[in-house]
Amino acid sequence: MFVLGLLLLLVLHIEAFSTSFPDETIAEFSVNVYNQLRATGEDENIIFSPLGIAITMGMVELGAHGSTLKEIQHSMGYEGLKNGEEFAFLKDLSDMAATEDSHYVMKLANSIYVQNGYHVNDKFLQLLKKYFKAEVEVVNFRQNIAVASYINKWVENHTNNMIKDFVSARDFSALTHLAIINAIYFKGNWKSQFRPENTRTFSFTKDDESEVQIPMMYQQGEFYYGEFSDGSNEAGGIYQVLEIPYEGDEFSMMIVLSRQEVPLATLEPLVKAQLIEEWATSVKKQKVEVYLPRFTIEQEIDLKNALKGVGITEVFSQSADLTAMSDSKLLYLSKAVHKSILEVNEEGSEAAAASGMIAISRMAVLYPQIIVDHPFFFVVRNRITGTIIFMGRVMHPEAMNPSVHDFEEL
């Protein structure tokens, strides 16, 4: 399985004529952004990287002063911290993401592109390198085609060639003076892998009750599993939570599934940072039968509206104060674009061919079954720190699935 996220922030120059850091802080921000995305995304798939967004906003925060700084700190949940404690925490997150491990591959890269001849404060650049190890490149945004090509090559190199053509020449103009980009790539194998020969075509029922055929993976094994009450009487008022660890046990994917009769939209308002932690501490290791779609989803999000929705507004306006970044008082952020890809398959990494005809039974069994054949919510998190790397939901697993005609119908 691999997941990756990418974020682009464009900073425009307006012409004159015109570390006791609370673990739940990033989790709360994650939920707030998720709620903004689902409010505008109707029944779309959602995937984003709270870690990537938090680190990128940390880079912006380093350049902010005055009310712009206070607004970012308030919206990110940093108000109770002193003397920039959040930067030490974000540095720890960056360092964690850069650590090499034999069980998974995780890459985090930050880059700043500066207009040739444009002054960026030395202290800002020093702090960027100290906390975020950000690369700083001098470019000429007026040569927008060449700049787009240069940035796209950087993106490809830092996402294992998974994201191509992330920016276009149209994203840059003579008014663009800074571009801030963050890329996260994560690839991990399941601790307990699915056997490709057990994958079969299965019906997935969407919230509008329409059905699509998808490849469904299967295995029986020991996983972290729990059942929780949603406080209602619908379908017994119970939903399921399954945690599937990756090799090494440091990271896991947590899947939250309502009962078949209950739309995901009914469950989503319950999601809170504290509840995610409750799921993590309450699920128990037990033998479970798991039916999980093999799928890939990809989403590019205009984060500007989502960030405005959580209270980060001034930095996107001509009132922005980014004077810690540059002496110029005429800088503001014009664009915030985030792109993520999630692939789930039998190995947990690259796609595996499925063949064979082993039967799968959906009849009564001795162990709990979690049959992920309708929309679900998920998080990919660090099991040790609780840091959420990716968050989202799957409403349309067929959106990027390859043909499933090679599978035996159940």
Side-chain angles (χ1 to χ4, degrees), residues 159-175:
T159 60
N160 207 32
N161 297 314
M162 292 307 304
I163 288 185
K164 301 179 184 293
D165 302 323
F166 178 62
V167 296
S168 72
R170 295 187 302 274
D171 290 321
F172 309 110
S173 71
L175 293 180

Side-chain angles (χ1 to χ4, degrees), residues 252-395:
S252 69
M253 172 178 274
M254 189 175 290
I255 293 168
V256 182
L257 186 71
S258 63
R259 293 298 189 189
Q260 181 82 55
E261 302 87 347
V262 180
L264 183 62
T266 302
L267 186 61
E268 285 176 310
L270 300 179
V271 178
K272 301 287 189 296
Q274 185 175 356
L275 184 57
I276 294 173
E277 183 60 28
E278 182 182 330
W279 293 335
T281 56
S282 299
V283 291
K284 303 300 181 185
K285 194 172 186 178
Q286 58 184 295
K287 187 162 283 189
V288 184
E289 281 201 344
V290 178
Y291 296 80
L292 181 65
R294 193 187 74 191
F295 66 92
T296 302
I297 59 171
E298 176 178 346
Q299 187 178 29
E300 182 173 308
I301 298 169
D302 182 352
L303 272 181
K304 186 175 179 178
N305 289 334
L307 291 174
K308 282 185 172 183
V310 301
I312 299 175
T313 61
E314 190 170 292
V315 73
F316 292 105
S317 74
Q318 297 183 12
S319 302
D321 184 349
L322 295 175
T323 52
M325 185 183 297
S326 169
D327 294 336
S328 172
K329 297 181 180 179
L330 303 175
L331 287 179
Y332 74 103
L333 294 183
S334 67
K335 181 177 287 190
V337 180
H338 183 65
K339 188 169 186 176
S340 299
I341 298 176
L342 166 68
E343 178 181 329
V344 171
N345 55 41
E346 288 85 353
E347 295 179 359
S349 56
E350 301 300 331
S355 58
M357 298 187 181
I358 295 178
I360 300 175
S361 172
R362 290 178 55 125
M363 300 179 66
V365 293
L366 296 175
Y367 312 111
Q369 285 184 320
I370 180 162
I371 305 174
V372 188
D373 61 355
H374 52 285
F376 59 95
F377 172 82
F378 70 86
V379 294
V380 175
R381 63 192 292 274
N382 185 304
R383 302 181 71 213
I384 300 171
T385 65
T387 303
I388 296 174
I389 314 299
F390 289 87
M391 176 181 282
R393 69 182 182 191
V394 175
M395 307 292 283

